């Protein structure tokens, strides 16, 4: 059954609201355990009474003294606001609680960044990590926390005949301090796999007759198949096969001072990349001071992109542009920038060996929500370790492959070869029989995950497919997922595409923006996007959204230093 046919048969909603969860009783909103309380909204009731008392006082003293009293009242209000945090309605916030700021006294005593458990460097977990206790840390448990998002569900999409495409939908978040307090103190369990190591072939000549690249180590078909036999301790190909460590003499080379800074990053990294000067840097919004001080924001670029940023951005200062720290990558292993971009996207655990959690954002997206809110909403609240949104329209890999061919995303022969290979391995069309799997096609521009052995293995093997076949990672996602799930029962959580569009705003590639400027059209900017709205628990109204209708230019076909596979008559035996 095709993706569209499946959608019609299962009563899917239109646009990015498409969901298979409704067919099995799912809410799509990801409910929590307890009913929500009033929380910060309790301050609202007293404001009206205070205004009424002030109005009566002004009438009693007459108009002559009204001005003096009014000044006194304003001064008193200013003093009051400086002493207490007042929750206000801010249309630029997407959290149900707007108090993003964590006072210094609280941050230093309740959230001491130097006392958090750290992932040990290297490829193995240390038992010491799980035994570290955090002194003075405020910790909440879902078992005894009255969650304000209890009962919240995604409302039906607004009926608008003029707009039938994908759109955002409301998402219920907690506050940043609540999200941090709900962070698990211990790493999540990794089913079966406990120790994951990576193949290093420094000084060893790889079998160049095998597919893939020198960066990936040219794994043979036998090695590929063996990597899916999951055991307690494994050693697999995962890029960076040469050199001392990832970023040093491996291809995708990074300066030592940048590597040292990356190793110092703990707990959470937000990462993106631009290669080939393909995109404009998008600056995150609504980021709390707490996250600015505790999360790492890294943007990987090549020398061409760095030169453009230096000349065009007034914010560039000492390898930083706004929140982003720019890391210049040299000796790129692929000529195709899109394939090079898959290295930081899928192998962040190798570049940041001491990080617990990561949020990957494609460069064309602007992050408009605090990253700790995303971890709480899509990982901890769901008790999962890997979250990615599903495609707003397509559920079937075969349809996705045809769409890639029609859009010129990659040469048709390579796509056909990859699909035929997967078909011979057992890939089938998507259908309701695959429940609880809700889609075979992700919208892979955002990845939220915890770095534990099973998620690291998943992205390693996913990257190996991208290195071996085409760079279109949506095509290989379900094959890797299904092989791992068949052996250990683990699989990624896939959330609604409209929920993804709630916390990122999609921009346009740099080339298209420049074309629009040259033609005299007003280029869309992130400020044109509707402000994200605060949602009270139980809110049903979806925020409106407008986006200019611009026909995107087809992307160039890929070219890389790797050997492009050709169709092999008579099946895959020749591999």
């Amino acid at each position: 059954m095709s993706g569209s046919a499946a959608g019609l048969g299962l009563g899917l909603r239109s646009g990015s609201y498409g969901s298979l969860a409704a067919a099995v009783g799912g809410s799509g909103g990801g409910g929590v355990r307890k009913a929500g309380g009033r929380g910060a909204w309790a301050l609202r009731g007293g404001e009206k009474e205070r205004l009424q008392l002030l109005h009566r006082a002004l009438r009693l003293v007459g108009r002559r003294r009204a001005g003096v009293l009014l000044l006194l009242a304003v001064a008193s209000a200013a003093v009051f606001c400086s002493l207490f945090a007042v929750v206000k309605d801010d249309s630029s916030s997407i959290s149900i609680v707007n108090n993003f700021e964590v006072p210094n006294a609280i941050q230093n005593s309740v959230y001491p960044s130097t006392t958090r458990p750290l992932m040990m460097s290297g490829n193995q977990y240390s038992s010491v990590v799980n035994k570290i206790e955090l002194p003075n840390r405020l910790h909440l448990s879902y078992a005894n926390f009255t969650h304000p998002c209890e009962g919240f569900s995604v409302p039906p999409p607004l009926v608008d005949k003029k707009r039938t495409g994908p759109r955002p939908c409301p998402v219920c978040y907690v506050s940043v301090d609540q999200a941090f307090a709900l962070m698990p103190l211990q790493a999540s369990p990794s089913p079966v796999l406990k120790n994951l190591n990576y193949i290093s072939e420094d000084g060893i000549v790889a079998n160049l007759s095998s597919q893939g690249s020198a960066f990936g180590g040219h794994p043979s078909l036998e090695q590929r198949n063996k990597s899916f036999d999951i055991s307690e301790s494994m050693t697999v190909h995962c890029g960076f096969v040469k050199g001392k460590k990832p970023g040093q003499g491996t291809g995708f080379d990074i300066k030592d001072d940048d590597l040292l800074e990356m190793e110092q990053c703990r707990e959470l990294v937000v990462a993106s990349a631009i290669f080939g000067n393909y995109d404009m840097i998008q600056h995150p919004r609504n980021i709390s001071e707490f996250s600015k001080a505790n999360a790492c924001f890294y943007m990987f670029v090549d020398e061409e992109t760095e030169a453009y940023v230096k000349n065009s951005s007034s914010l560039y200062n000492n390898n930083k542009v706004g929140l982003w720290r720019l890391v210049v990558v040299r000796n790129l292993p692929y000529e195709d920038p899109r394939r090079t971009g898959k290295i930081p996207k899928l192998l962040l655990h190798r570049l940041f060996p001491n990080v617990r959690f990561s949020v990957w954002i494609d460069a064309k997206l602007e992050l408009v929500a605090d990253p700790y809110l995303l971890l709480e909403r899509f990982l901890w609240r769901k008790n999962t370790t890997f979250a990615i949104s599903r495609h707003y329209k397509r559920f079937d890999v075969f349809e996705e492959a045809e769409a890639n061919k029609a859009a010129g995303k990659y040469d048709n022969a390579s796509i056909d070869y990859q699909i035929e290979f997967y078909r011979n391995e057992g890939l089938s069309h998507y259908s309701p029989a695959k429940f609880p799997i809700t889609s075979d096609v992700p919208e892979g521009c955002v990845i939220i995950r915890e770095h534990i052995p099973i998620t690291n293995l998943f992205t390693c093997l996913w990257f190996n497919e991208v290195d071996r076949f085409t760079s279109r990672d949506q095509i290989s996602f379900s094959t890797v997922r299904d092989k791992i799930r068949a052996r250990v029962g683990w699989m990624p959580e896939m959330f609604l595409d409209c929920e993804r569009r709630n916390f990122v705003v999609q921009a346009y590639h740099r080339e298209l923006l420049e074309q629009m400027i040259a033609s005299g059209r007003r280029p869309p900017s992130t400020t044109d996007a509707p402000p994200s709205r605060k949602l009270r628990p139980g809110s049903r109204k979806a925020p409106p959204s407008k986006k200019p209708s611009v026909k995107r230019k087809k992307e160039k076909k890929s070219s890389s230093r790797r050997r492009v596979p050709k169709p092999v008559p008579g099946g895959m035996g020749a591999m």
Side-chain angles (χ1 to χ4, degrees), residues 505-526:
V505 176
Q506 185 163 324
Y508 293 87
H509 295 301
R510 183 184 62 80
E511 183 179 359
L512 180 57
L513 287 172
E514 292 177 347
Q515 290 176 357
M516 296 177 69
I517 294 174
S519 63
R521 289 180 291 170
R522 178 176 178 268
S525 66
T526 53

Side-chain angles (χ1 to χ4, degrees), residues 53-266:
L53 290 174
L54 177 61
H55 180 66
R56 292 174 183 172
L58 292 175
R59 291 182 60 184
L60 289 174
V61 299
R63 295 184 178 180
R64 291 183 179 180
R65 299 181 181 177
V68 177
L69 288 177
L70 182 59
L71 290 175
L72 291 174
V74 171
S76 301
V79 173
F80 177 81
C81 291
S82 66
L83 295 176
F84 301 97
V86 178
V87 177
K88 61 180 181 178
D89 193 359
D90 186 354
S91 61
S92 66
S93 170
I94 57 175
S95 172
I96 61 169
V97 179
N98 190 44
N99 186 12
F100 272 5
E101 305 296 332
V102 179
N104 291 334
I106 297 179
Q107 182 169 327
N108 293 334
S109 62
V110 181
Y111 310 117
S113 59
T114 57
T115 59
R116 297 180 193 155
L118 305 179
M119 294 279 291
M120 297 300 177
S121 59
N123 301 323
Q124 297 186 358
Y125 278 91
S126 171
S127 60
V128 178
V129 175
N130 292 335
K131 295 180 181 179
I132 295 178
E133 296 294 337
L134 300 184
N136 302 323
R137 171 176 172 175
L138 174 64
H139 179 68
L140 299 177
S141 170
Y142 285 99
N144 53 30
F145 173 56
T146 302
H147 204 291
C149 296
E150 170 66 22
F152 177 84
S153 61
V154 177
L158 298 175
V159 179
D160 186 355
K161 295 182 180 180
K162 296 182 179 180
R163 180 175 180 184
T164 58
R167 63 180 69 187
C169 58
V171 176
C172 187
Y173 302 102
V174 296
S175 64
V176 172
D177 49 351
Q178 286 175 325
F180 182 78
L182 287 165
M183 178 188 296
L185 295 178
Q186 298 181 352
S188 299
S190 177
V192 181
L193 178 62
K194 306 304 177 187
N195 300 319
L196 181 63
N197 297 283
Y198 309 110
I199 290 177
S200 175
E201 296 179 348
D202 193 22
I204 300 176
V205 179
N207 184 3
L208 300 181
S209 63
S210 298
Q211 289 182 249
S213 67
F215 177 80
H218 295 286
S220 65
L221 182 59
E222 181 182 1
Q223 289 173 317
R224 172 197 180 264
N225 295 338
K226 187 178 179 181
S227 67
F228 291 104
D229 294 332
I230 301 175
S231 58
E232 183 174 347
S233 182
M234 297 180 64
T235 301
V236 299
H237 284 84
C238 194
F240 304 106
V241 295
K242 297 189 180 294
K244 297 179 180 179
K245 64 178 182 179
Q248 283 190 346
T250 58
F252 203 84
D253 293 334
I254 298 171
K255 293 194 302 183
D256 289 345
D257 57 344
D258 286 328
L259 287 174
L260 180 61
E261 286 289 334
M262 292 161 60
E263 290 176 359
Q264 299 304 312
C265 182
R266 317 280 179 169

Side-chain angles (χ1 to χ4, degrees), residues 9 193 274 312-313 335 387 398 403 437 446 451 459 461 470 480 532 540 552 559:
L193 178 62
I274 303 175
S312 63
S313 175
E335 292 181 358
F398 296 92
I437 294 173
V446 173
H451 291 197
T459 54
L461 302 187
T470 72
V480 179
S532 301
R540 286 281 183 179
R552 292 184 58 185
S559 61

